[in-house]
Amino acid sequence: RVHGDPHLFFMAASRVSELELDRSIGFTGSVRSGLVLHPDERHILYPLGATVVVRELGVAKQQEFLQGHSAAVSCIAVSKCGRFVASGQRRVLSTKADICVWDFSTRTLLHRLVLHKADIRELAFSPESRYLVSLGGDDDNAIVVWDVARGEAICGSPASMGSSGLTYCVRFFNRDETRFVTAGQQTLRLWTLDARARKVRAEECRLGQIKRVIETLAVDANDEGLYCGTTTGDVLFVNVATLLFQSSGPKKPFSLGITSLALSPHGILVGTGEGKMAILQRGTFKIVGLTELAGSIDTIAVDRPARFAYVGTGESNIYLVDLESLEAELRSTGHPGAIRDIAFPHGFSEVFATCGDGDIRVWNARRSLELVRIVVPNVECLCIAFSHDGGAILSGWADGRIRAFGPETGTQLFVINSAHTEAVTAIAASSDGKRMVSGGSDGQVRVWRLLRESQQMEAALKEHRGPIVSIQMRSNDLEALTASSDGSCIVWDLTRMIRLQVMFAPTLFRQAVFHPHEAQALTCGTDRKIGFWDVFDGSAIREIELPGPAHANSVAVFADGERFVTGGEDRVVQLWSYDDGETLAQSVRLTGNILKLAISPDQQEIVAVCDDGGIFVLAVPAESPMPGQAAEYF
């Protein structure tokens, strides 16, 4: 289910039915303290692009989406009573950044708070949930205290003195409704709120000769001490009563700094930039437990009995860590960056593959679980395709190489060095398994013969003048359709290696696909139009102009040829009637710009991948309503 601001829903004003969002895969792990365990301990909340995901623990499909932001979510906070959720976002161009306050029980938007001039860096609720304090980003560096019930600002102040640097974190005390603390570049300040006078007063903590950049902090349960994690890799302890620095440790600081910190009866839990999670003994800061995870540890959320902790990393992984043994169980994975392509094996809907920066991942489509990860460090994978028999994943990479891997084990089967002079941007395989066609950012289309022991280039076709964005082969393997950002689509004869037909449009094409009957082609591009083409004479049959200013990045046609789907910069998946050219259904707004779409071979699901690392699975309606007869959303 999706909840949020009605103004962000396209379906509120249009007479189309809803494409049901069945489940999602992904987690923006780079958001500090972004993984939050709700006080009911039945739900976790985390950001995914511009959306806050509410997920029921232990149930992969039980997800709800809080949508109200126009840009990526930058922080999340949950009140101690569990009633309120607050989320902040990054700034869009010169506009102010929003804070959304949600009612957790009803998943409704209560308040939209707008005052900060830059990104919202962190949020914190007071112990009794009466107040919310927000901290602005680099270009703002201010704190604002809000009345949660009324949704109004009480007061604000610069977060640090002019002689200090930026402020990075804020925490309310655990027992005092009027006191909170901020920390950052050589600054550690204790604040007292006077709500009646609408003022806040700051006191500087005295660290002596110690110069530190504090990235994270925690207040002990009795509000007697502050534990501060620094970029130097040590923890500082400051006495609240005297505001004096008392001690620090461990003796050997952690590499890449301390990026997250939490307190439990076991000790001080720290997460580091190099992926180490440690338990430090209070007082001595001696390391009494240590484990290592994949990616910088940006969030540690401890359950109430302090038996387990949910840990989020910069690699978009979520772990469940046993605090007694420090054994870590990988609970969820996702792409940390943009997903460039998605592919299903021919005739098999149980798995699909995605690719992005440095890796290819094979997923269980039903359970949303990662099965295989194929890693090529420091190189981006731009396109993938399964061989017709499903025995290989063919992939194109930014280093100009084509690599093939076994989908079950991830074993490299072969690599073609210098397959293109620049990046390999599109790839397709023949149904007989003997050929492969690739396209590059150099505009060339190359045809390869796949032998048992080698791969031989048969031809290099040089008609396009811009990067190749998509390739599709006919079912008889004798022709191929290529699209380029130079505004041309070409149908190639793969026997004589010549151009059969060309289609031009004043646009940067994003994708071109054959209709299942293969007499027509469908294109989408930056002109915000869906083009219908006759592939035999290259003539334009008709075109559909998309509503709004956003263009489509991907198009896919159902096997019966009666419907197709599009997705792009508007973050909405739309289901169309092929003959009538009318919208039958559309999804709610997803978390990021849609880069590619794929329809499962059983025609039951649509999978969309986004530039924020999100993967979204939508259920295809059993019977799509006829144009003009769709039910209203409300």
Side-chain angles (χ1 to χ4, degrees), residues 8-10 528 546-554 566-574 576 586-595 597 610:
L8 291 179
F9 290 94
F10 288 78
R528 300 174 27 253
L546 299 176
H551 66 265
N553 288 324
S554 186
T566 60
E569 302 295 306
D570 60 0
R571 306 181 180 183
V572 174
V573 178
Q574 291 183 287
W576 303 80
Q586 60 188 31
S587 72
V588 293
R589 192 170 183 174
L590 304 185
T591 63
N593 297 331
I594 299 168
L595 298 185
L597 293 169
C610 301

Side-chain angles (χ1 to χ4, degrees), residues 339-344 352-355 363 382-386 554 595-599 606-609 615-616:
I339 302 175
R340 298 299 177 185
D341 204 357
I342 175 173
F344 277 93
F352 61 83
T354 57
C355 66
W363 303 87
L382 301 175
C383 54
I384 53 173
F386 279 91
S554 186
L595 298 185
K596 279 293 173 68
L597 293 169
I599 300 170
I606 303 164
V607 184
V609 296
I615 303 172
F616 297 89

Side-chain angles (χ1 to χ4, degrees), residues 105-121:
S105 60
T106 62
R107 311 292 199 266
T108 55
L109 181 66
L110 297 177
H111 308 296
R112 183 179 298 276
L113 313 178
V114 184
L115 202 57
H116 288 283
K117 299 176 182 177
D119 300 352
I120 309 301
R121 194 183 293 278

Side-chain angles (χ1 to χ4, degrees), residues 16 73 91 113 119 180 279 444 463 525 527 612:
V16 295
V73 173
R91 182 177 62 173
L113 313 178
D119 300 352
F180 59 92
I279 300 179
Q444 290 194 21
E463 297 267 350
D527 59 355
D612 61 0

